[in-house]
PDB file of all heavy atoms in Angstrom:
ATOM      1  N   TYR K   1      -3.256 -10.643  -3.940  1.00 93.00           N
ATOM      2  CA  TYR K   1      -2.721 -10.058  -2.708  1.00 93.00           C
ATOM      3  C   TYR K   1      -3.873  -9.734  -1.761  1.00 93.00           C
ATOM      4  O   TYR K   1      -3.826 -10.068  -0.581  1.00 93.00           O
ATOM      5  CB  TYR K   1      -1.918  -8.795  -3.038  1.00 93.00           C
ATOM      6  CG  TYR K   1      -1.280  -8.138  -1.837  1.00 93.00           C
ATOM      7  CD1 TYR K   1      -0.043  -8.558  -1.370  1.00 93.00           C
ATOM      8  CD2 TYR K   1      -1.915  -7.088  -1.175  1.00 93.00           C
ATOM      9  CE1 TYR K   1       0.548  -7.973  -0.263  1.00 93.00           C
ATOM     10  CE2 TYR K   1      -1.339  -6.485  -0.073  1.00 93.00           C
ATOM     11  CZ  TYR K   1      -0.099  -6.927   0.388  1.00 93.00           C
ATOM     12  OH  TYR K   1       0.481  -6.347   1.480  1.00 93.00           O
ATOM     13  N   HIS K   2      -4.896  -9.052  -2.281  1.00 81.00           N
ATOM     14  CA  HIS K   2      -6.137  -8.837  -1.536  1.00 81.00           C
ATOM     15  C   HIS K   2      -7.166  -9.822  -2.098  1.00 81.00           C
ATOM     16  O   HIS K   2      -7.466  -9.780  -3.292  1.00 81.00           O
ATOM     17  CB  HIS K   2      -6.669  -7.410  -1.722  1.00 81.00           C
ATOM     18  CG  HIS K   2      -5.768  -6.338  -1.218  1.00 81.00           C
ATOM     19  ND1 HIS K   2      -5.394  -6.226   0.104  1.00 81.00           N
ATOM     20  CD2 HIS K   2      -5.154  -5.320  -1.852  1.00 81.00           C
ATOM     21  CE1 HIS K   2      -4.601  -5.180   0.259  1.00 81.00           C
ATOM     22  NE2 HIS K   2      -4.433  -4.614  -0.923  1.00 81.00           N
ATOM     23  N   ASP K   3      -7.669 -10.686  -1.271  1.00 76.00           N
ATOM     24  CA  ASP K   3      -8.634 -11.691  -1.739  1.00 76.00           C
ATOM     25  C   ASP K   3      -9.978 -11.018  -2.014  1.00 76.00           C
ATOM     26  O   ASP K   3     -10.812 -10.873  -1.121  1.00 76.00           O
ATOM     27  CB  ASP K   3      -8.786 -12.803  -0.704  1.00 76.00           C
ATOM     28  CG  ASP K   3      -9.602 -13.981  -1.248  1.00 76.00           C
ATOM     29  OD1 ASP K   3     -10.165 -13.841  -2.355  1.00 76.00           O
ATOM     30  OD2 ASP K   3      -9.670 -15.022  -0.581  1.00 76.00           O
ATOM     31  N   PHE K   4     -10.171 -10.604  -3.253  1.00 75.00           N
ATOM     32  CA  PHE K   4     -11.386  -9.862  -3.611  1.00 75.00           C
ATOM     33  C   PHE K   4     -12.626 -10.749  -3.641  1.00 75.00           C
ATOM     34  O   PHE K   4     -13.752 -10.253  -3.734  1.00 75.00           O
ATOM     35  CB  PHE K   4     -11.208  -9.139  -4.956  1.00 75.00           C
ATOM     36  CG  PHE K   4     -10.793 -10.030  -6.095  1.00 75.00           C
ATOM     37  CD1 PHE K   4     -11.716 -10.724  -6.847  1.00 75.00           C
ATOM     38  CD2 PHE K   4      -9.442 -10.170  -6.414  1.00 75.00           C
ATOM     39  CE1 PHE K   4     -11.337 -11.530  -7.900  1.00 75.00           C
ATOM     40  CE2 PHE K   4      -9.042 -10.976  -7.472  1.00 75.00           C
ATOM     41  CZ  PHE K   4      -9.994 -11.664  -8.213  1.00 75.00           C
ATOM     42  N   ASN K   5     -12.439 -12.079  -3.543  1.00 73.00           N
ATOM     43  CA  ASN K   5     -13.599 -12.977  -3.459  1.00 73.00           C
ATOM     44  C   ASN K   5     -14.238 -12.892  -2.080  1.00 73.00           C
ATOM     45  O   ASN K   5     -15.413 -13.218  -1.908  1.00 73.00           O
ATOM     46  CB  ASN K   5     -13.173 -14.413  -3.763  1.00 73.00           C
ATOM     47  CG  ASN K   5     -12.724 -14.588  -5.210  1.00 73.00           C
ATOM     48  OD1 ASN K   5     -13.423 -14.160  -6.120  1.00 73.00           O
ATOM     49  ND2 ASN K   5     -11.568 -15.185  -5.403  1.00 73.00           N
ATOM     50  N   LYS K   6     -13.448 -12.461  -1.076  1.00 77.00           N
ATOM     51  CA  LYS K   6     -13.972 -12.325   0.279  1.00 77.00           C
ATOM     52  C   LYS K   6     -14.456 -10.902   0.555  1.00 77.00           C
ATOM     53  O   LYS K   6     -15.508 -10.700   1.139  1.00 77.00           O
ATOM     54  CB  LYS K   6     -12.888 -12.710   1.293  1.00 77.00           C
ATOM     55  CG  LYS K   6     -12.532 -14.190   1.272  1.00 77.00           C
ATOM     56  CD  LYS K   6     -11.491 -14.505   2.336  1.00 77.00           C
ATOM     57  CE  LYS K   6     -11.144 -15.992   2.337  1.00 77.00           C
ATOM     58  NZ  LYS K   6     -10.110 -16.312   3.355  1.00 77.00           N
ATOM     59  N   ALA K   7     -13.643  -9.922   0.147  1.00 75.00           N
ATOM     60  CA  ALA K   7     -14.019  -8.526   0.385  1.00 75.00           C
ATOM     61  C   ALA K   7     -13.231  -7.610  -0.533  1.00 75.00           C
ATOM     62  O   ALA K   7     -12.085  -7.893  -0.881  1.00 75.00           O
ATOM     63  CB  ALA K   7     -13.772  -8.145   1.846  1.00 75.00           C
ATOM     64  N   SER K   8     -13.849  -6.499  -0.915  1.00 83.00           N
ATOM     65  CA  SER K   8     -13.178  -5.511  -1.761  1.00 83.00           C
ATOM     66  C   SER K   8     -12.245  -4.655  -0.917  1.00 83.00           C
ATOM     67  O   SER K   8     -12.536  -4.358   0.246  1.00 83.00           O
ATOM     68  CB  SER K   8     -14.216  -4.623  -2.444  1.00 83.00           C
ATOM     69  OG  SER K   8     -13.606  -3.504  -3.053  1.00 83.00           O
ATOM     70  N   HIS K   9     -11.110  -4.245  -1.521  1.00 83.00           N
ATOM     71  CA  HIS K   9     -10.211  -3.352  -0.788  1.00 83.00           C
ATOM     72  C   HIS K   9     -10.728  -1.906  -0.790  1.00 83.00           C
ATOM     73  O   HIS K   9     -10.194  -1.051  -0.095  1.00 83.00           O
ATOM     74  CB  HIS K   9      -8.791  -3.413  -1.329  1.00 83.00           C
ATOM     75  CG  HIS K   9      -8.666  -3.181  -2.810  1.00 83.00           C
ATOM     76  ND1 HIS K   9      -9.104  -2.035  -3.432  1.00 83.00           N
ATOM     77  CD2 HIS K   9      -8.126  -3.953  -3.798  1.00 83.00           C
ATOM     78  CE1 HIS K   9      -8.855  -2.117  -4.734  1.00 83.00           C
ATOM     79  NE2 HIS K   9      -8.260  -3.256  -4.989  1.00 83.00           N
ATOM     80  N   GLY K  10     -11.755  -1.639  -1.589  1.00 84.00           N
ATOM     81  CA  GLY K  10     -12.436  -0.348  -1.530  1.00 84.00           C
ATOM     82  C   GLY K  10     -11.801   0.785  -2.299  1.00 84.00           C
ATOM     83  O   GLY K  10     -12.233   1.925  -2.186  1.00 84.00           O
ATOM     84  N   CYS K  11     -10.776   0.495  -3.100  1.00 91.00           N
ATOM     85  CA  CYS K  11     -10.098   1.550  -3.859  1.00 91.00           C
ATOM     86  C   CYS K  11     -10.506   1.472  -5.330  1.00 91.00           C
ATOM     87  O   CYS K  11     -10.291   0.447  -5.981  1.00 91.00           O
ATOM     88  CB  CYS K  11      -8.582   1.421  -3.726  1.00 91.00           C
ATOM     89  SG  CYS K  11      -7.665   2.613  -4.735  1.00 91.00           S
ATOM     90  N   SER K  12     -11.064   2.562  -5.836  1.00 88.00           N
ATOM     91  CA  SER K  12     -11.534   2.576  -7.230  1.00 88.00           C
ATOM     92  C   SER K  12     -10.401   2.782  -8.233  1.00 88.00           C
ATOM     93  O   SER K  12     -10.590   2.591  -9.439  1.00 88.00           O
ATOM     94  CB  SER K  12     -12.580   3.681  -7.406  1.00 88.00           C
ATOM     95  OG  SER K  12     -12.008   4.955  -7.105  1.00 88.00           O
ATOM     96  N   LEU K  13      -9.214   3.187  -7.758  1.00 88.00           N
ATOM     97  CA  LEU K  13      -8.088   3.446  -8.657  1.00 88.00           C
ATOM     98  C   LEU K  13      -7.312   2.177  -9.019  1.00 88.00           C
ATOM     99  O   LEU K  13      -6.616   2.156 -10.030  1.00 88.00           O
ATOM    100  CB  LEU K  13      -7.120   4.449  -8.012  1.00 88.00           C
ATOM    101  CG  LEU K  13      -7.636   5.867  -7.772  1.00 88.00           C
ATOM    102  CD1 LEU K  13      -6.590   6.675  -7.013  1.00 88.00           C
ATOM    103  CD2 LEU K  13      -7.993   6.545  -9.089  1.00 88.00           C
ATOM    104  N   CYS K  14      -7.427   1.147  -8.180  1.00 92.00           N
ATOM    105  CA  CYS K  14      -6.557  -0.028  -8.311  1.00 92.00           C
ATOM    106  C   CYS K  14      -7.321  -1.258  -8.786  1.00 92.00           C
ATOM    107  O   CYS K  14      -8.539  -1.347  -8.632  1.00 92.00           O
ATOM    108  CB  CYS K  14      -5.898  -0.324  -6.958  1.00 92.00           C
ATOM    109  SG  CYS K  14      -4.758   0.970  -6.400  1.00 92.00           S
ATOM    110  N   PRO K  15      -6.599  -2.247  -9.349  1.00 91.00           N
ATOM    111  CA  PRO K  15      -7.236  -3.504  -9.732  1.00 91.00           C
ATOM    112  C   PRO K  15      -7.744  -4.239  -8.488  1.00 91.00           C
ATOM    113  O   PRO K  15      -7.255  -3.987  -7.376  1.00 91.00           O
ATOM    114  CB  PRO K  15      -6.104  -4.284 -10.423  1.00 91.00           C
ATOM    115  CG  PRO K  15      -4.842  -3.683  -9.886  1.00 91.00           C
ATOM    116  CD  PRO K  15      -5.159  -2.245  -9.650  1.00 91.00           C
ATOM    117  N   PRO K  16      -8.723  -5.149  -8.654  1.00 91.00           N
ATOM    118  CA  PRO K  16      -9.356  -5.781  -7.475  1.00 91.00           C
ATOM    119  C   PRO K  16      -8.408  -6.598  -6.603  1.00 91.00           C
ATOM    120  O   PRO K  16      -8.643  -6.741  -5.409  1.00 91.00           O
ATOM    121  CB  PRO K  16     -10.437  -6.675  -8.100  1.00 91.00           C
ATOM    122  CG  PRO K  16     -10.020  -6.878  -9.530  1.00 91.00           C
ATOM    123  CD  PRO K  16      -9.327  -5.608  -9.921  1.00 91.00           C
ATOM    124  N   ASN K  17      -7.325  -7.109  -7.186  1.00 92.00           N
ATOM    125  CA  ASN K  17      -6.432  -7.995  -6.434  1.00 92.00           C
ATOM    126  C   ASN K  17      -5.374  -7.276  -5.610  1.00 92.00           C
ATOM    127  O   ASN K  17      -4.781  -7.869  -4.711  1.00 92.00           O
ATOM    128  CB  ASN K  17      -5.714  -8.955  -7.380  1.00 92.00           C
ATOM    129  CG  ASN K  17      -4.807  -8.229  -8.369  1.00 92.00           C
ATOM    130  OD1 ASN K  17      -5.304  -7.538  -9.262  1.00 92.00           O
ATOM    131  ND2 ASN K  17      -3.508  -8.346  -8.207  1.00 92.00           N
ATOM    132  N   MET K  18      -5.127  -5.973  -5.888  1.00 95.00           N
ATOM    133  CA  MET K  18      -4.070  -5.297  -5.139  1.00 95.00           C
ATOM    134  C   MET K  18      -4.211  -3.780  -5.192  1.00 95.00           C
ATOM    135  O   MET K  18      -4.221  -3.185  -6.268  1.00 95.00           O
ATOM    136  CB  MET K  18      -2.689  -5.684  -5.673  1.00 95.00           C
ATOM    137  CG  MET K  18      -1.541  -5.158  -4.821  1.00 95.00           C
ATOM    138  SD  MET K  18       0.085  -5.704  -5.424  1.00 95.00           S
ATOM    139  CE  MET K  18       1.074  -5.384  -3.956  1.00 95.00           C
ATOM    140  N   CYS K  19      -4.286  -3.180  -4.004  1.00 96.00           N
ATOM    141  CA  CYS K  19      -4.218  -1.729  -3.890  1.00 96.00           C
ATOM    142  C   CYS K  19      -2.855  -1.387  -3.304  1.00 96.00           C
ATOM    143  O   CYS K  19      -2.595  -1.618  -2.119  1.00 96.00           O
ATOM    144  CB  CYS K  19      -5.328  -1.194  -2.992  1.00 96.00           C
ATOM    145  SG  CYS K  19      -5.151   0.575  -2.620  1.00 96.00           S
ATOM    146  N   LYS K  20      -1.981  -0.834  -4.135  1.00 97.00           N
ATOM    147  CA  LYS K  20      -0.640  -0.492  -3.672  1.00 97.00           C
ATOM    148  C   LYS K  20      -0.670   0.661  -2.669  1.00 97.00           C
ATOM    149  O   LYS K  20       0.223   0.787  -1.836  1.00 97.00           O
ATOM    150  CB  LYS K  20       0.257  -0.129  -4.862  1.00 97.00           C
ATOM    151  CG  LYS K  20       0.596  -1.298  -5.770  1.00 97.00           C
ATOM    152  CD  LYS K  20       1.577  -0.865  -6.853  1.00 97.00           C
ATOM    153  CE  LYS K  20       1.975  -2.017  -7.751  1.00 97.00           C
ATOM    154  NZ  LYS K  20       2.983  -1.602  -8.751  1.00 97.00           N
ATOM    155  N   GLY K  21      -1.700   1.494  -2.759  1.00 96.00           N
ATOM    156  CA  GLY K  21      -1.825   2.592  -1.816  1.00 96.00           C
ATOM    157  C   GLY K  21      -1.977   2.092  -0.387  1.00 96.00           C
ATOM    158  O   GLY K  21      -1.389   2.648   0.544  1.00 96.00           O
ATOM    159  N   LEU K  22      -2.762   1.025  -0.206  1.00 95.00           N
ATOM    160  CA  LEU K  22      -2.927   0.440   1.121  1.00 95.00           C
ATOM    161  C   LEU K  22      -1.607  -0.144   1.624  1.00 95.00           C
ATOM    162  O   LEU K  22      -1.313  -0.085   2.825  1.00 95.00           O
ATOM    163  CB  LEU K  22      -4.002  -0.652   1.094  1.00 95.00           C
ATOM    164  CG  LEU K  22      -5.443  -0.173   0.894  1.00 95.00           C
ATOM    165  CD1 LEU K  22      -6.387  -1.365   0.820  1.00 95.00           C
ATOM    166  CD2 LEU K  22      -5.866   0.766   2.021  1.00 95.00           C
ATOM    167  N   VAL K  23      -0.822  -0.705   0.717  1.00 96.00           N
ATOM    168  CA  VAL K  23       0.479  -1.256   1.095  1.00 96.00           C
ATOM    169  C   VAL K  23       1.401  -0.137   1.574  1.00 96.00           C
ATOM    170  O   VAL K  23       2.094  -0.264   2.594  1.00 96.00           O
ATOM    171  CB  VAL K  23       1.130  -2.022  -0.068  1.00 96.00           C
ATOM    172  CG1 VAL K  23       2.485  -2.590   0.342  1.00 96.00           C
ATOM    173  CG2 VAL K  23       0.220  -3.148  -0.563  1.00 96.00           C
ATOM    174  N   ILE K  24       1.403   0.976   0.842  1.00 96.00           N
ATOM    175  CA  ILE K  24       2.237   2.118   1.221  1.00 96.00           C
ATOM    176  C   ILE K  24       1.813   2.671   2.582  1.00 96.00           C
ATOM    177  O   ILE K  24       2.657   3.015   3.420  1.00 96.00           O
ATOM    178  CB  ILE K  24       2.178   3.223   0.145  1.00 96.00           C
ATOM    179  CG1 ILE K  24       2.977   2.785  -1.098  1.00 96.00           C
ATOM    180  CG2 ILE K  24       2.718   4.545   0.669  1.00 96.00           C
ATOM    181  CD1 ILE K  24       4.467   2.582  -0.841  1.00 96.00           C
ATOM    182  N   GLU K  25       0.516   2.733   2.820  1.00 94.00           N
ATOM    183  CA  GLU K  25       0.038   3.210   4.117  1.00 94.00           C
ATOM    184  C   GLU K  25       0.521   2.297   5.236  1.00 94.00           C
ATOM    185  O   GLU K  25       0.913   2.760   6.315  1.00 94.00           O
ATOM    186  CB  GLU K  25      -1.494   3.304   4.124  1.00 94.00           C
ATOM    187  CG  GLU K  25      -2.031   4.496   3.363  1.00 94.00           C
ATOM    188  CD  GLU K  25      -3.508   4.703   3.597  1.00 94.00           C
ATOM    189  OE1 GLU K  25      -4.168   3.789   4.164  1.00 94.00           O
ATOM    190  OE2 GLU K  25      -4.024   5.769   3.216  1.00 94.00           O
ATOM    191  N   ARG K  26       0.504   0.984   4.999  1.00 94.00           N
ATOM    192  CA  ARG K  26       0.990   0.041   6.017  1.00 94.00           C
ATOM    193  C   ARG K  26       2.474   0.242   6.259  1.00 94.00           C
ATOM    194  O   ARG K  26       2.946   0.223   7.404  1.00 94.00           O
ATOM    195  CB  ARG K  26       0.726  -1.405   5.580  1.00 94.00           C
ATOM    196  CG  ARG K  26       1.182  -2.419   6.627  1.00 94.00           C
ATOM    197  CD  ARG K  26       1.152  -3.832   6.086  1.00 94.00           C
ATOM    198  NE  ARG K  26       2.005  -3.993   4.914  1.00 94.00           N
ATOM    199  CZ  ARG K  26       3.330  -4.054   4.965  1.00 94.00           C
ATOM    200  NH1 ARG K  26       3.971  -3.910   6.111  1.00 94.00           N
ATOM    201  NH2 ARG K  26       4.024  -4.219   3.862  1.00 94.00           N
ATOM    202  N   ILE K  27       3.246   0.448   5.170  1.00 94.00           N
ATOM    203  CA  ILE K  27       4.682   0.681   5.318  1.00 94.00           C
ATOM    204  C   ILE K  27       4.927   1.959   6.115  1.00 94.00           C
ATOM    205  O   ILE K  27       5.764   1.993   7.018  1.00 94.00           O
ATOM    206  CB  ILE K  27       5.360   0.757   3.929  1.00 94.00           C
ATOM    207  CG1 ILE K  27       5.358  -0.622   3.268  1.00 94.00           C
ATOM    208  CG2 ILE K  27       6.795   1.284   4.052  1.00 94.00           C
ATOM    209  CD1 ILE K  27       5.880  -0.636   1.840  1.00 94.00           C
ATOM    210  N   GLU K  28       4.178   3.008   5.798  1.00 92.00           N
ATOM    211  CA  GLU K  28       4.319   4.280   6.521  1.00 92.00           C
ATOM    212  C   GLU K  28       4.009   4.105   8.007  1.00 92.00           C
ATOM    213  O   GLU K  28       4.696   4.643   8.876  1.00 92.00           O
ATOM    214  CB  GLU K  28       3.409   5.341   5.899  1.00 92.00           C
ATOM    215  CG  GLU K  28       3.873   5.830   4.541  1.00 92.00           C
ATOM    216  CD  GLU K  28       2.893   6.799   3.893  1.00 92.00           C
ATOM    217  OE1 GLU K  28       1.680   6.718   4.212  1.00 92.00           O
ATOM    218  OE2 GLU K  28       3.322   7.610   3.076  1.00 92.00           O
ATOM    219  N   ASP K  29       2.958   3.328   8.299  1.00 90.00           N
ATOM    220  CA  ASP K  29       2.570   3.108   9.695  1.00 90.00           C
ATOM    221  C   ASP K  29       3.613   2.288  10.444  1.00 90.00           C
ATOM    222  O   ASP K  29       3.722   2.393  11.672  1.00 90.00           O
ATOM    223  CB  ASP K  29       1.211   2.408   9.769  1.00 90.00           C
ATOM    224  CG  ASP K  29       0.071   3.300   9.310  1.00 90.00           C
ATOM    225  OD1 ASP K  29       0.263   4.535   9.274  1.00 90.00           O
ATOM    226  OD2 ASP K  29      -0.998   2.771   8.969  1.00 90.00           O
ATOM    227  N   SER K  30       4.358   1.455   9.709  1.00 87.00           N
ATOM    228  CA  SER K  30       5.349   0.596  10.358  1.00 87.00           C
ATOM    229  C   SER K  30       6.666   1.319  10.628  1.00 87.00           C
ATOM    230  O   SER K  30       7.531   0.789  11.324  1.00 87.00           O
ATOM    231  CB  SER K  30       5.635  -0.638   9.481  1.00 87.00           C
ATOM    232  OG  SER K  30       6.360  -0.264   8.304  1.00 87.00           O
ATOM    233  N   ILE K  31       6.802   2.511  10.055  1.00 84.00           N
ATOM    234  CA  ILE K  31       8.034   3.286  10.236  1.00 84.00           C
ATOM    235  C   ILE K  31       7.870   4.171  11.461  1.00 84.00           C
ATOM    236  O   ILE K  31       7.039   5.070  11.485  1.00 84.00           O
ATOM    237  CB  ILE K  31       8.326   4.153   8.991  1.00 84.00           C
ATOM    238  CG1 ILE K  31       8.561   3.267   7.772  1.00 84.00           C
ATOM    239  CG2 ILE K  31       9.541   5.035   9.224  1.00 84.00           C
ATOM    240  CD1 ILE K  31       8.596   4.029   6.465  1.00 84.00           C
ATOM    241  N   SER K  32       8.682   3.934  12.471  1.00 69.00           N
ATOM    242  CA  SER K  32       8.527   4.659  13.731  1.00 69.00           C
ATOM    243  C   SER K  32       9.271   5.994  13.750  1.00 69.00           C
ATOM    244  O   SER K  32       8.827   6.966  14.353  1.00 69.00           O
ATOM    245  CB  SER K  32       9.011   3.798  14.896  1.00 69.00           C
ATOM    246  OG  SER K  32      10.367   3.408  14.706  1.00 69.00           O
ATOM    247  N   GLU K  33      10.412   6.047  13.045  1.00 69.00           N
ATOM    248  CA  GLU K  33      11.215   7.265  13.089  1.00 69.00           C
ATOM    249  C   GLU K  33      10.515   8.418  12.363  1.00 69.00           C
ATOM    250  O   GLU K  33      10.014   8.260  11.261  1.00 69.00           O
ATOM    251  CB  GLU K  33      12.600   7.048  12.459  1.00 69.00           C
ATOM    252  CG  GLU K  33      13.479   6.068  13.217  1.00 69.00           C
ATOM    253  CD  GLU K  33      13.282   4.644  12.733  1.00 69.00           C
ATOM    254  OE1 GLU K  33      12.216   4.371  12.140  1.00 69.00           O
ATOM    255  OE2 GLU K  33      14.174   3.819  12.949  1.00 69.00           O
ATOM    256  N   GLU K  34      10.504   9.580  12.986  1.00 70.00           N
ATOM    257  CA  GLU K  34       9.836  10.736  12.395  1.00 70.00           C
ATOM    258  C   GLU K  34      10.551  11.249  11.148  1.00 70.00           C
ATOM    259  O   GLU K  34       9.937  11.848  10.277  1.00 70.00           O
ATOM    260  CB  GLU K  34       9.740  11.865  13.425  1.00 70.00           C
ATOM    261  CG  GLU K  34       8.806  11.555  14.589  1.00 70.00           C
ATOM    262  CD  GLU K  34       8.685  12.721  15.544  1.00 70.00           C
ATOM    263  OE1 GLU K  34       9.307  13.767  15.265  1.00 70.00           O
ATOM    264  OE2 GLU K  34       7.975  12.589  16.553  1.00 70.00           O
ATOM    265  N   ASP K  35      11.871  11.021  11.064  1.00 69.00           N
ATOM    266  CA  ASP K  35      12.626  11.579   9.942  1.00 69.00           C
ATOM    267  C   ASP K  35      12.743  10.603   8.770  1.00 69.00           C
ATOM    268  O   ASP K  35      13.520  10.818   7.856  1.00 69.00           O
ATOM    269  CB  ASP K  35      14.030  12.000  10.394  1.00 69.00           C
ATOM    270  CG  ASP K  35      14.858  10.820  10.907  1.00 69.00           C
ATOM    271  OD1 ASP K  35      14.259   9.779  11.224  1.00 69.00           O
ATOM    272  OD2 ASP K  35      16.091  10.951  10.986  1.00 69.00           O
ATOM    273  N   LYS K  36      11.985   9.521   8.792  1.00 88.00           N
ATOM    274  CA  LYS K  36      12.026   8.581   7.680  1.00 88.00           C
ATOM    275  C   LYS K  36      11.471   9.237   6.422  1.00 88.00           C
ATOM    276  O   LYS K  36      10.466   9.949   6.461  1.00 88.00           O
ATOM    277  CB  LYS K  36      11.212   7.324   7.998  1.00 88.00           C
ATOM    278  CG  LYS K  36      11.943   6.303   8.878  1.00 88.00           C
ATOM    279  CD  LYS K  36      12.940   5.497   8.075  1.00 88.00           C
ATOM    280  CE  LYS K  36      13.537   4.384   8.914  1.00 88.00           C
ATOM    281  NZ  LYS K  36      14.518   3.590   8.176  1.00 88.00           N
ATOM    282  N   ARG K  37      12.117   8.978   5.306  1.00 94.00           N
ATOM    283  CA  ARG K  37      11.676   9.527   4.011  1.00 94.00           C
ATOM    284  C   ARG K  37      11.444   8.372   3.045  1.00 94.00           C
ATOM    285  O   ARG K  37      12.244   7.431   2.983  1.00 94.00           O
ATOM    286  CB  ARG K  37      12.749  10.459   3.446  1.00 94.00           C
ATOM    287  CG  ARG K  37      13.279  11.502   4.430  1.00 94.00           C
ATOM    288  CD  ARG K  37      12.374  12.689   4.583  1.00 94.00           C
ATOM    289  NE  ARG K  37      12.386  13.548   3.421  1.00 94.00           N
ATOM    290  CZ  ARG K  37      13.290  14.529   3.218  1.00 94.00           C
ATOM    291  NH1 ARG K  37      14.265  14.731   4.098  1.00 94.00           N
ATOM    292  NH2 ARG K  37      13.220  15.299   2.158  1.00 94.00           N
ATOM    293  N   LEU K  38      10.383   8.441   2.263  1.00 97.00           N
ATOM    294  CA  LEU K  38      10.095   7.412   1.264  1.00 97.00           C
ATOM    295  C   LEU K  38      10.455   7.913  -0.125  1.00 97.00           C
ATOM    296  O   LEU K  38      10.183   9.064  -0.474  1.00 97.00           O
ATOM    297  CB  LEU K  38       8.611   7.032   1.290  1.00 97.00           C
ATOM    298  CG  LEU K  38       8.221   5.775   2.080  1.00 97.00           C
ATOM    299  CD1 LEU K  38       8.470   6.004   3.558  1.00 97.00           C
ATOM    300  CD2 LEU K  38       6.765   5.410   1.821  1.00 97.00           C
ATOM    301  N   ILE K  39      11.063   7.033  -0.903  1.00 98.00           N
ATOM    302  CA  ILE K  39      11.260   7.269  -2.337  1.00 98.00           C
ATOM    303  C   ILE K  39      10.534   6.142  -3.050  1.00 98.00           C
ATOM    304  O   ILE K  39      10.838   4.971  -2.825  1.00 98.00           O
ATOM    305  CB  ILE K  39      12.751   7.266  -2.724  1.00 98.00           C
ATOM    306  CG1 ILE K  39      13.531   8.325  -1.940  1.00 98.00           C
ATOM    307  CG2 ILE K  39      12.905   7.508  -4.234  1.00 98.00           C
ATOM    308  CD1 ILE K  39      15.043   8.285  -2.202  1.00 98.00           C
ATOM    309  N   TYR K  40       9.563   6.481  -3.896  1.00 98.00           N
ATOM    310  CA  TYR K  40       8.766   5.468  -4.589  1.00 98.00           C
ATOM    311  C   TYR K  40       9.044   5.519  -6.080  1.00 98.00           C
ATOM    312  O   TYR K  40       8.944   6.574  -6.703  1.00 98.00           O
ATOM    313  CB  TYR K  40       7.274   5.696  -4.324  1.00 98.00           C
ATOM    314  CG  TYR K  40       6.389   4.587  -4.853  1.00 98.00           C
ATOM    315  CD1 TYR K  40       5.910   3.606  -4.003  1.00 98.00           C
ATOM    316  CD2 TYR K  40       6.056   4.514  -6.205  1.00 98.00           C
ATOM    317  CE1 TYR K  40       5.106   2.580  -4.478  1.00 98.00           C
ATOM    318  CE2 TYR K  40       5.257   3.497  -6.697  1.00 98.00           C
ATOM    319  CZ  TYR K  40       4.783   2.523  -5.826  1.00 98.00           C
ATOM    320  OH  TYR K  40       4.003   1.508  -6.310  1.00 98.00           O
ATOM    321  N   LEU K  41       9.388   4.376  -6.669  1.00 98.00           N
ATOM    322  CA  LEU K  41       9.661   4.286  -8.103  1.00 98.00           C
ATOM    323  C   LEU K  41       8.632   3.384  -8.760  1.00 98.00           C
ATOM    324  O   LEU K  41       8.400   2.248  -8.301  1.00 98.00           O
ATOM    325  CB  LEU K  41      11.050   3.700  -8.371  1.00 98.00           C
ATOM    326  CG  LEU K  41      12.271   4.432  -7.838  1.00 98.00           C
ATOM    327  CD1 LEU K  41      12.620   3.962  -6.427  1.00 98.00           C
ATOM    328  CD2 LEU K  41      13.473   4.195  -8.761  1.00 98.00           C
ATOM    329  N   GLY K  42       8.005   3.867  -9.840  1.00 98.00           N
ATOM    330  CA  GLY K  42       7.033   3.042 -10.539  1.00 98.00           C
ATOM    331  C   GLY K  42       6.750   3.552 -11.939  1.00 98.00           C
ATOM    332  O   GLY K  42       7.230   4.611 -12.342  1.00 98.00           O
ATOM    333  N   ASP K  43       5.960   2.776 -12.679  1.00 98.00           N
ATOM    334  CA  ASP K  43       5.672   3.139 -14.067  1.00 98.00           C
ATOM    335  C   ASP K  43       4.199   3.050 -14.422  1.00 98.00           C
ATOM    336  O   ASP K  43       3.705   3.790 -15.266  1.00 98.00           O
ATOM    337  CB  ASP K  43       6.443   2.213 -15.015  1.00 98.00           C
ATOM    338  CG  ASP K  43       5.839   0.812 -15.030  1.00 98.00           C
ATOM    339  OD1 ASP K  43       6.100   0.051 -14.078  1.00 98.00           O
ATOM    340  OD2 ASP K  43       5.085   0.484 -15.960  1.00 98.00           O
TER     341      ASP K  43
END
């Protein structure tokens, strides 16, 4: 998902190929309504 051969995503918590935190930040930034609420499910 993140091409780590070109550049690191810079997150020490996540594997080199994908930082889900960055994805969530992008989703949050794409939500315009102030009253939007996120529910995140994971394991």
Side-chain angles (χ1 to χ4, degrees):
Y1 182 85
H2 297 299
D3 189 352
F4 55 86
N5 293 311
K6 292 182 179 179
S8 168
H9 53 58
C11 176
S12 61
L13 295 175
C14 295
N17 63 291
M18 188 177 197
C19 172
K20 291 185 178 183
L22 290 177
V23 180
I24 287 297
E25 284 190 348
R26 182 190 59 75
I27 290 174
E28 288 175 334
D29 291 341
S30 70
I31 297 169
S32 57
E33 295 90 338
E34 292 183 2
D35 62 342
K36 280 282 187 181
R37 311 280 288 274
L38 262 67
I39 302 175
Y40 188 100
L41 299 89
D43 73 282

